[in-house]
Amino acid sequence: MTASTPSIFTKIIDRDIPADIVFENDRVIAIRDINPQAPVHLLVIPKATAYANVTELAAADPALLAEIVTTAHNLATLHAAGEYRLVFNSGESAGQTVFHVHAHVLAGNLQEHTLA
Ligand code: 5GP
């Protein structure tokens, strides 16, 4: 992805492609993952396009990272029992496929599920 090539998540934020949006404010959007790996599988995505992964986000805007965590907690409370697994894949060999930072929020009965 380059600056001139919007990520799939930017296209969702811009309403160029549809998604099941479960939360949105000025800074973040949360959607249902199109290929869920758990009974509840949401993605919390900052609207800022500058950060490819969580390391970049943490270094540049820790408050925004904290907001992603708070949003994950709030959504896990709304959509499950408030307990959740938070996963940031960082790098291709770790399973990252979209290089616009996002948190996977996995909830429900996770004992039989592997990491996203
Ligand atoms: P990553 O592999 O980068 O950690 O996570 C990317 C996630 O985005 C995957 O779990 C994948 O299923 C999800 N995803 C990819 N394209 C779309 C899409 O167009 N819509 C939605 N809702 N999720 C998507």
Side-chain angles (χ1 to χ4, degrees), residues 2-65:
T2 67
S4 58
T5 308
S7 73
I8 193 89
F9 297 148
T10 295
K11 290 179 183 166
I12 287 171
I13 291 162
D14 291 344
R15 305 304 199 267
D16 289 334
I17 62 170
D20 187 351
I21 298 169
V22 295
F23 176 77
E24 183 171 24
N25 67 17
D26 288 349
R27 295 165 302 282
V28 304
I29 190 168
I31 62 174
R32 287 189 196 279
D33 197 292
I34 205 167
N35 181 24
Q37 304 296 310
V40 175
H41 186 169
L42 307 175
L43 302 171
V44 183
I45 307 158
K47 290 187 172 179
T49 58
Y51 314 118
N53 58 55
V54 68
T55 309
E56 291 183 12
L57 174 61
D61 194 343
L64 184 54
L65 175 57

